[in-house]
Amino acid sequence: MSLVELKDFSLSFSEKGRLLEAVNSISLSIEQSEMVALVGESGCGKSATALSLIGLENESAVFSGHVYFEDVDLLTFSEKEWEKIRGNRISMIFQEPMTALNPLLKVGPQIAENLSVHHQNVRRAVIRDKVLEILKSVGLSDVERIYRSYPHQLSGGQRQRIMIAMALINNPSLLIADEPTTALDVTIQAEIIDLIKRMNREKGTAVLLISHNLSLVKGLTRRAYIMYSGSIVESGHTEEILNNPIHPYTRGLLASVPSIKSRGRRLYSIPGYVPSLEERSNVGCPFASRCSIKSEKCMKERPKMSDLGGHGYSCFFSPEEIERRMNG
Amino acid sequence: MDSLLRLEGIRKEYKIGAERIKAVWKIDLDIKKGEILGLVGESGSGKSTIANIITRLITPDEGRIVFKGVEISALSERAFREYRRDIQMVFQDPYSSINPKKKIGYLLNECLLIHEKGMSKAERMRRVMESLEEVGLDASYAERYPDSLSGGQRQRVAIALALILHPSLIVLDEPVSALDVSVEAQILNLLMDLRRKYGLTYLFISHDLNVVSYLSDRIAVMYLGSIVELGRVEDIIGNMAHPYTRALFSASSDVTATLSGEIPSPLNPPPGCPFHTRCAFIEERCKKEKPELVEMEGGHYVSCHYPLYNKEG
């Protein structure tokens, strides 16, 4: 049994009587203790998918399909049922720890609140010790002082550690990390990644990393799903996808990352831009409007996921054909 | 190459109540005509302060700014106006740097109204259209408002605004950090094309080392208000001499932790070498004496008592 399994999951927002589709029939799974990435650019639907997994999606959201967590369909949950799971079995950390923490509450009591909601009959002193212990476990020193500090008195790296401490205090089975290091400096980013890896190793917490940062995805996860415009266009082992991308979008994305190696050359750039929710068409391949190798069929029909020994891609052309057309 | 802009002994402190933030300590920096100088560093390193000093958005406490042989830091606001058009800036966030209430065409025209007093209306229209075309936007964009544009399109408008007065130096402060990867490549290609076409000089400020090493001719690495290493990209990448440069570049290439602890607060910077609290190669001398930025060999500068270069050489 997978820990998480999304089956034909779709999500639309109703706006002025119209249904705008943010996520289009995606399927995805996460095993116990596995680290998986959901990769894509802004507006691809990765964050909307993540928020649905923790029951925080916008009220106007309309769902279809299934989101199984340990074989229970989360889409059938009432708010009361969500309260038992959220922050307890499934936790989430966000990009900007300053906006995710309550600026008016000291850090210690703020974490303690998270603990006490789920363990109502525990004594205060016990809770305090437990909070100090978890602050230490996420690599913070001087924890007594941090316990008494307000979020603004701490650095960005310290705040992100506190977010992680808060997310992990109830030993969840799944941690969703939505761009956890985007707001941090590179040297701090590396430390936070090490911390997430260590937590995964020590506690067996499965991690769903939501990111657009390919080197981060490479450093942290075993498997990855590439999303474009509400659909999953490629999936498989992270290394395999990054070394041998198949889908024209993934290939374009990887080729457009600047580096010392591409010095002096023009960067490959995918023409056009990601269509907004209003501009999206649900006919044909979602990438067709920007694809350099599209055929007529791509404008009319939506390709299904093909599987090549665990490496999935949604394109009408075979990997060889894509290679030939893109480089020919 | 000739110097286009030179910073000499620039120092800047910000006062917050009774406390003082040392944002930039005595910096010397030369931007050469026609080059792209990449300025990298983490938050609080002082790189944006440098950008704002060059564009005269803030005044340094000490030091001189020499642009095209003229000490512009000594000029009055009025006398500086002639140079303001020649030094333009593009900011990180095109959502907050462009007035959302005005049409794109109005904004571009306004630059010309201020700086090109004698220009006829027809000539201004021509320049507005020309600058839109330069950044890959068609004429219809002149009639659009910023809020109908995507992030990438807005950044194109910001570049058009910087370009319309035909400057010689553009200071780009994290110009692609807010953009998606596929859009980032488009903007970087555009910047390279414009530079080639007009012989522009860029000061390119970024925390993204991949972007900086892709596009710069030289790189300056800042840490806590000081330049710790400066040189051609080949020298920096091939022969990193400062322990901080090495840590920064290895952290970005494979996301491994190479430094422990956090950047000390600029409110209370450590004595001696500013990096000594996090350095893996620390010696007694580093705690007491601040190293000077010295030239190791042909244009490669480092401020470290014990540069890694010497250790391996």
Side-chain angles (χ1 to χ4, degrees), chain A residues 24-277:
Chain A
N24 182 304
S25 189
I26 65 169
S27 295
L28 167 162
S29 68
I30 306 167
E31 304 304 317
Q32 301 276 356
S33 308
E34 197 187 21
M35 299 218 258
V36 173
L38 192 54
V39 187
E41 301 182 273
S42 16
C44 73
K46 57 188 194 306
S47 292
T49 304
L51 288 172
S52 314
L53 263 171
I54 194 160
L56 288 176
E57 201 33 276
N58 195 296
E59 279 177 9
S60 72
V62 182
F63 303 99
S64 71
H66 304 278
V67 177
Y68 295 110
F69 177 72
E70 294 176 333
D71 274 355
V72 186
D73 194 344
L74 297 178
L75 293 186
T76 64
F77 268 28
S78 65
E79 184 53 32
K80 257 220 150 60
E81 286 171 297
W82 266 119
E83 279 166 14
K84 280 186 210 144
I85 267 202
R86 189 190 298 136
N88 197 18
R89 307 297 323 284
I90 304 177
S91 287
M92 184 155 177
I93 52 176
F94 299 88
Q95 176 172 345
E96 189 23 270
M98 195 59 216
T99 53
L101 291 167
N102 185 339
L104 300 177
L105 270 184
K106 286 180 183 170
V107 165
Q110 199 164 160
I111 301 175
E113 189 178 59
N114 225 328
L115 187 68
S116 44
V117 167
H118 299 282
H119 302 266
Q120 278 164 0
N121 303 318
V122 187
R123 290 214 338 268
R124 273 175 108 174
V126 177
I127 288 180
R128 187 187 147 86
D129 287 347
K130 174 115 188 159
V131 171
L132 290 173
E133 183 194 317
I134 192 119
L135 285 174
K136 268 185 218 144
S137 77
V138 293
L140 290 163
S141 50
D142 201 3
V143 291
E144 292 276 351
R145 183 181 60 83
I146 287 180
Y147 188 95
R148 294 188 308 266
S149 301
Y150 288 100
H152 77 266
Q153 295 169 316
L154 305 170
S155 73
Q158 287 172 324
R159 288 197 288 258
Q160 198 56 290
R161 284 177 195 272
I162 285 160
M163 283 295 301
I164 294 172
M166 205 185 251
L168 294 181
I169 197 162
N170 295 314
N171 277 326
S173 313
L174 175 67
L175 174 70
I176 303 168
D178 191 356
E179 303 277 11
T181 62
T182 310
L184 305 176
D185 280 318
V186 271
T187 59
I188 310 297
Q189 171 175 322
E191 291 194 335
I192 295 295
I193 293 310
D194 277 0
L195 172 63
I196 295 177
K197 272 188 192 161
R198 183 161 64 80
M199 291 295 160
N200 166 265
R201 209 170 44 234
E202 287 172 5
K203 302 189 170 197
T205 319
V207 176
L208 177 64
L209 172 72
I210 311 289
S211 184
H212 70 283
N213 181 338
L214 296 165
S215 55
L216 179 62
V217 167
K218 187 175 156 197
L220 194 62
T221 62
R222 195 177 77 89
R223 281 194 308 123
Y225 293 87
I226 314 289
M227 268 188 104
Y228 181 79
S229 197
S231 300
I232 287 173
V233 296
E234 188 156 356
S235 66
H237 283 272
T238 307
E239 289 245 332
E240 170 68 15
I241 293 181
L242 297 182
N243 294 334
N244 301 305
I246 297 177
H247 196 280
Y249 173 65
T250 319
R251 296 174 68 120
L253 201 60
L254 287 167
S256 61
V257 177
S259 75
I260 184 90
K261 291 185 199 110
S262 44
R263 260 174 86 73
R265 275 184 278 141
R266 267 184 93 71
L267 289 170
Y268 177 81
S269 74
I270 304 172
Y273 58 96
V274 183
S276 68
L277 278 185

Side-chain angles (χ1 to χ4, degrees), chain A residues 284-314:
Chain A
C285 169
F287 188 58
S289 63
R290 298 176 75 192
C291 185
S292 60
I293 64 162
K294 62 173 174 282
S295 70
E296 244 174 57
K297 191 180 181 190
C298 308
M299 307 298 287
K300 291 178 195 145
E301 257 179 73
R302 188 167 278 255
K304 292 208 165 53
M305 242 1 199
S306 308
D307 182 75
L308 199 79
H311 189 161
Y313 62 97
S314 73

